[in-house]
Amino acid sequence: MAALTPLALTRLAGLAGLNRLALPLAAAMLSAGAALAQAPELPETVPVPELNRSESAQEAAPADVPIPEPRPADAPNPDQPATDKLNQQKSDQHKEAGPPPAIAPTPSEKPAEAEPPATAPKPPEKPAQAQEKEIPPDPRSASVPQEKMPDEELACRRRLKSMGVDFEERKAEHDAAVGCSIPYPIVLKTLGKSLDINPETELNCQMAEAVARFAANIIQPAAKAEFGASLKSVGQASAFVCRLRHGGGKLSEHAFGNALDIASFTLSDGRKIDIGPAPPEKDAKFLNAVRKAACGPFKTVLGPGSDADHSLHLHLDLAPRRNGGTFCQ
């Protein structure tokens, strides 16, 4: 045998290495072939839906893959749902009807509204509300004169005479419907010696005595101190009057001859002091002193500033109050 060249020896060594690699590779290919033989056969060509393929993909498809022919536009689609078919029918109807008119029809006019009646009906009147609390009758409303004058009435008259008060007896006043009552009235002509009251005043005896004492003991000294003159007369605005209170359902104290409204004072020098909301400074000082002193001898004292009804006079009365209290404004 001829000797091998170095190049030949190198090639033989390479072939030997390939043979060592070829054996494992061949075994792997046999195993893969057996696995493929057991797998199910796949179809030669897999149809691709037309909707998911672009035009370029359809052109690049192999010749043996059948391409479905396009469906005519008006052909029904078997896979389309029933609602799509209904929409298709509506679309065809709109196409047959043609385009809408260029000008929309004018809507019909609204019917004329009914005119309101000349006079609107008045709402039903609400029933009169019952009074929250019924005012009990004044027990003095039942007072009537007795056959013989009571002792306290006789004693009151004796005191008036001792003070120099000129008065007259008057017939009893009684109004059962309203409730006014003054069973033993007197009419004052003066309030004492040289002290008049104008005009003459009808009061019950207790109120007449209180006014006479107040004029002599309070008003007279105040006039001398402030003006240096004596009180000559008292001008009164109201005494016994059968009426209710202003703005209230109760009887006024005037309804029992138990109140007096004083409107002015006249001095011995001819000076007249009127009661009002804004008297001169000196008159105001005198009036304030008289008004303040009246709270006590009288149970109610009202004047300018208390309310509109008493803006031009001083109201004095002997209304019975709890625990002998007073109400002065």
Side-chain angles (χ1 to χ4, degrees), residues 58 74 82 84 98 106-107 118 163 233 256 269 295 303 305:
Q58 292 179 7
D74 56 350
D84 293 344
T106 305
M163 294 169 58
S233 68
F256 304 103
D269 61 0
C295 189

Side-chain angles (χ1 to χ4, degrees), residues 13 15-16 38 40 61 64 71-74 106 114-115 129 132 138 150 167 174 179 199 203 205 231 241 253 266 310:
L15 291 173
Q38 295 177 359
D64 56 350
R71 181 175 56 84
D74 56 350
T106 305
E115 296 182 358
Q129 296 181 354
E132 295 182 0
D138 195 305
F167 64 91
H174 186 262
L203 296 169
C205 190
L231 179 66
V241 181
E253 289 299 308
T266 302
H310 300 91

Side-chain angles (χ1 to χ4, degrees), residues 84-97:
D84 293 344
K85 290 182 180 180
L86 181 59
N87 293 335
Q88 184 68 27
Q89 292 176 1
K90 290 182 179 180
S91 176
D92 294 342
Q93 291 177 359
H94 285 299
K95 289 180 181 180
E96 293 177 0

Side-chain angles (χ1 to χ4, degrees), residues 250-266:
K250 291 184 177 181
L251 284 167
S252 169
E253 289 299 308
H254 288 280
F256 304 103
N258 205 37
L260 179 69
D261 293 342
I262 298 176
S264 64
F265 302 99
T266 302

Side-chain angles (χ1 to χ4, degrees), residues 119-131:
T119 57
K122 296 181 180 180
E125 296 181 358
K126 296 181 180 180
Q129 296 181 354
Q131 294 183 357

Side-chain angles (χ1 to χ4, degrees), residues 57 85 117 167-168 278 287 292:
K85 290 182 180 180
F167 64 91
E168 289 181 358
L287 293 173
K292 184 177 180 180

Side-chain angles (χ1 to χ4, degrees), residues 246 275-277 291 302-314 329:
H246 290 295
I275 296 175
R291 183 173 180 175
L302 301 172
S306 59
D307 55 45
D309 294 330
H310 300 91
S311 60
L312 299 176
H313 65 266
L314 192 65
Q329 287 187 345

